[in-house]
Amino acid sequence: MSGRWVEVASGVFAGRYAELDQTLGLVVGSARCLVVDSGTDEVHGAELAAAVRERTALPWELVITHAHFDHFFGTAAFLPCPVWAHERCREVIETDGDEQRRDWAARYRDKGEPELAHRLEAAALVVPDRVFTDRVELDLGERMVELVHPGLGHTDHDVIVHVPDAGVVFAGDLVEQGAPPHAGPDAVPGQWPSTLDAVLRLGARVIVPGHGEPVDAAFVRAQRDELAR
Ligand SMILES: [Zn+2]
């Protein structure tokens, strides 16, 4: 693995990568596992898939936290499998995915990273096939996880992954460690703080951001206050 796993609770892992300081996830049950986000391109997705296989041989399902290219262009490496997302996430991947790929490939070329540009251009655009709007529960076998849309914030369709028995939440880019939360043109800053309140109400011990190291509730509360200001 080009990244490294951090086991934040028994059978719950944060996968840390140098590129974009990104953090992907893995939750292992007794019957199946859930992979959180698929990475920046298919090479990255395949690395993640291989890293998952170092931890478990169980069949996987995938959840995409939101429709930003670095969270979904690795999906093809996991197929065939169920791919979960918010309904709007599917819509945005479908309508905006190709443009994001072009933009980011150009950005990588400008940064002098043509290899990453080429990898992104070669990645298939995979549209999630299991969508929901508010909340869905997945049974991983002796472990339930909930996929929740806690409200608007980093995008209008962010999904978090709550693992209640472990006290862990994968927050996608609603939380960012090591840099201020990224608010692009598709962000809804006015509602972001109340959305983080909803995340905090879950009472998780560990919150895994989409970029950066796992954090605690106090960190998220401080980030919430910063966003509110
Ligand atoms: Zn994002």
Side-chain angles (χ1 to χ4, degrees):
M1 179 182 186
S2 68
R4 64 187 163 87
W5 286 124
V6 179
E7 187 163 17
V8 295
S10 177
V12 184
F13 302 89
R16 298 281 293 120
Y17 288 86
E19 174 58 21
L20 304 174
D21 196 20
Q22 197 174 17
T23 309
L24 307 174
L26 171 65
V27 185
V28 183
S30 66
R32 60 193 68 80
C33 66
L34 179 68
V35 177
V36 184
D37 287 335
S38 63
T40 49
D41 56 48
E42 279 179 47
V43 175
H44 187 193
E47 282 172 8
L48 174 64
V52 171
R53 280 292 168 254
E54 287 170 13
R55 294 286 170 177
T56 176
L58 292 171
W60 53 47
E61 303 196 8
L62 183 62
V63 56
I64 306 300
T65 58
H66 64 292
H68 285 163
F69 90 100
D70 47 327
H71 299 262
F72 69 84
F73 263 113
T75 300
F78 292 86
L79 298 181
C81 77
V83 182
W84 293 91
H86 190 277
E87 191 173 71
R88 272 282 298 154
C89 180
R90 174 169 70 184
E91 214 174 291
V92 175
I93 288 176
E94 234 166 0
T95 56
D96 191 48
D98 283 323
E99 195 179 321
Q100 288 191 42
R101 178 166 39 199
R102 270 195 305 275
D103 283 357
W104 275 90
R107 251 193 245 201
Y108 279 132
R109 285 212 167 77
D110 290 347
K111 285 203 298 177
E113 297 182 287
E115 178 57 26
L116 286 177
H118 180 74
R119 278 167 45 166
L120 181 53
E121 284 162 347
L125 185 70
V126 179
V127 174
D129 64 347
R130 305 276 206 284
V131 295
F132 63 98
T133 50
D134 295 322
R135 181 181 174 277
V136 68
E137 261 188 15
L138 303 183
D139 182 0
L140 301 183
E142 293 168 52
R143 171 167 264 168
M144 301 296 294
V145 296
E146 359 169 48
L147 312 182
V148 182
H149 170 55
L152 311 180
H154 176 67
T155 68
D156 65 3
H157 58 261
D158 300 282
V159 164
I160 62 170
V161 179
H162 181 211
V163 192
D165 75 272
V168 177
V169 162
F170 291 87
D173 288 0
L174 283 170
V175 176
E176 184 155 354
Q177 186 277 335
H182 176 73
D186 55 347
V188 188
Q191 294 191 45
W192 201 330
S194 62
T195 295
L196 286 182
D197 287 335
V199 174
L200 286 163
R201 276 197 296 275
L202 295 171
R205 185 178 54 81
V206 180
I207 295 99
V208 181
H211 301 268
E213 296 289 342
V215 297
D216 59 11
F219 179 95
V220 175
R221 216 167 288 122
Q223 194 150 78
R224 177 230 176 268
D225 292 346
E226 190 186 319
L227 281 160
R229 278 197 297 274

